[in-house]
Amino acid sequence: MKISGRLIKHALLSAALMLTAAVPASAEVNDSDLGIHLRGALGGGRVYLGYVSYSNSTGDLGAGPGATLNVAAMLAYKFIGVEGNMLVGTMGDLEWKDEVAGTEYTFTSKGSGVYSILDLKLGFNLFREEGDMGYTFIYAGPRYWTMKRNQDSLKQDNIEVPTNKKYEANGSGWIIGFRDFSTIGSNDGFAIALQTGLFGGKAPVDDFEWENASQDLKTDQSITLGGEFAAGIALQNIGFSLVGGFRGEANVTTFKDPLAPADEESAFGLGNVTFFVEAGLQF
């Protein structure tokens, strides 16, 4: 699945301009108990996908290029906030090193894939002030994710073999965290903006299909961690912000394979580290 960065960029800019034009010129950010915050971001960086079987001490822990599209909408009433956040990412060729009979080789999984993460959040939206876009959102809520990848061929050093294998996984769980948006400057115009966030939780694998073989899993342990840091500008008189920075997250699950001995387990991981540019609008 390929996402046109130019098409998405034009769509986000057009939407931001239309929304800005729709806001009354006399309105101020947070001038009532009810507020809406829309965000849209494009990112690019590295994606990580790994599976280590119970029968191996090493496994397919590949890294490669990937792009992300992240959209979110939050409705705030007084100090209560409700937000929906969807991230969609792509993955290209993945590369890793592994030993075979005592010799280290470079493996490249050639193919493409896509993953998505949906977060539904409920929490406290604190420190809102009239005319100021700043706030701190402390939240918790469910998380749902899915991943699909097609491997066209596998390359071991200079030897490439067609494979046509399919990899799928999905899971669900919960996260808890915070996001802070702070401004330094005038409430009537330009201000410096800082955006930070951190979250953790559990979202283990529910269903798993690796190399065209499905497996029923008994989850042993799971952990999800992520965070972000960005800086940019805010035009507080119209409620518009533009920030750029880094965002990353990782989700790891250990589980019991049906065929594994009682004292052995397998592991699956999915994550990314990206640089992103995000536009936001508050009204």
Side-chain angles (χ1 to χ4, degrees):
M1 176 178 178
K2 295 183 178 179
I3 298 177
S4 170
R6 181 176 297 179
L7 180 61
I8 295 173
K9 180 177 69 176
H10 288 169
L12 287 173
L13 290 175
S14 299
L17 290 173
M18 288 187 293
L19 286 169
T20 302
V23 178
S26 59
E28 285 189 320
V29 174
N30 293 328
D31 64 347
S32 69
D33 290 337
L34 184 66
I36 297 175
H37 188 191
L38 305 178
R39 298 183 294 123
L42 291 173
R46 303 287 284 177
V47 61
Y48 302 88
L49 175 65
Y51 169 60
V52 180
S53 169
Y54 68 90
S55 60
N56 296 315
S57 58
T58 60
D60 303 352
L61 182 58
T68 58
L69 169 65
N70 190 30
V71 294
M74 179 169 68
L75 177 66
Y77 181 72
K78 294 187 176 180
F79 60 88
I80 300 297
V82 178
E83 182 179 76
N85 194 151
M86 171 66 81
L87 182 144
V88 178
T90 64
M91 62 182 78
D93 295 348
L94 302 177
E95 185 176 294
W96 68 95
K97 294 183 182 297
D98 201 357
E99 287 188 3
V100 178
T103 301
E104 185 176 81
Y105 296 93
T106 298
F107 291 84
T108 304
S109 168
K110 293 193 172 184
S112 61
V114 63
Y115 61 97
S116 63
I117 302 171
L118 173 64
D119 294 326
L120 303 176
K121 307 169 185 176
L122 173 64
F124 299 106
N125 193 32
L126 307 175
F127 311 122
R128 296 175 63 206
E129 297 181 4
E130 185 174 347
D132 189 338
M133 294 177 66
Y135 66 91
T136 298
F137 184 39
I138 302 173
Y139 61 82
R143 160 170 284 210
Y144 307 92
W145 63 270
T146 184
M147 181 281 299
K148 294 183 178 181
R149 174 175 173 79
N150 292 320
Q151 179 181 277
D152 301 322
S153 64
L154 180 63
K155 185 177 180 181
Q156 179 178 333
D157 283 348
N158 296 321
I159 302 174
E160 186 172 347
V161 179
T163 56
N164 191 29
K165 292 181 178 179
K166 182 171 65 175
Y167 304 88
E168 295 186 12
N170 62 73
S172 60
W174 56 269
I175 60 170
I176 183 171
F178 78 91
R179 183 177 66 253
D180 180 79
F181 188 85
S182 299
T183 59
I184 305 172
S186 171
N187 287 355
D188 298 325
F190 177 84
I192 300 296
L194 295 175
Q195 181 171 295
T196 57
L198 186 67
F199 67 84
K202 287 187 174 185
V205 177
D206 293 330
D207 297 305
F208 188 76
E209 185 174 320
W210 204 259
E211 298 185 351
N212 303 321
S214 298
Q215 300 188 48
D216 296 323
L217 309 178
K218 181 180 179 182
T219 300
D220 187 13
Q221 297 181 22
S222 173
I223 186 170
T224 295
L225 293 173
E228 64 178 312
F229 177 81
I233 62 170
L235 303 178
Q236 301 200 95
N237 56 324
I238 62 173
F240 178 78
S241 64
L242 185 66
V243 299
F246 292 92
R247 176 180 287 143
E249 61 182 270
N251 182 24
V252 179
T253 302
T254 61
F255 52 86
K256 302 292 186 181
D257 270 313
L259 301 178
D263 59 343
E264 295 185 8
E265 59 188 14
S266 301
F268 173 85
L270 175 65
N272 63 57
V273 177
T274 63
F275 175 80
F276 70 95
V277 176
E278 180 175 288
L281 186 64
Q282 295 184 30
F283 53 92

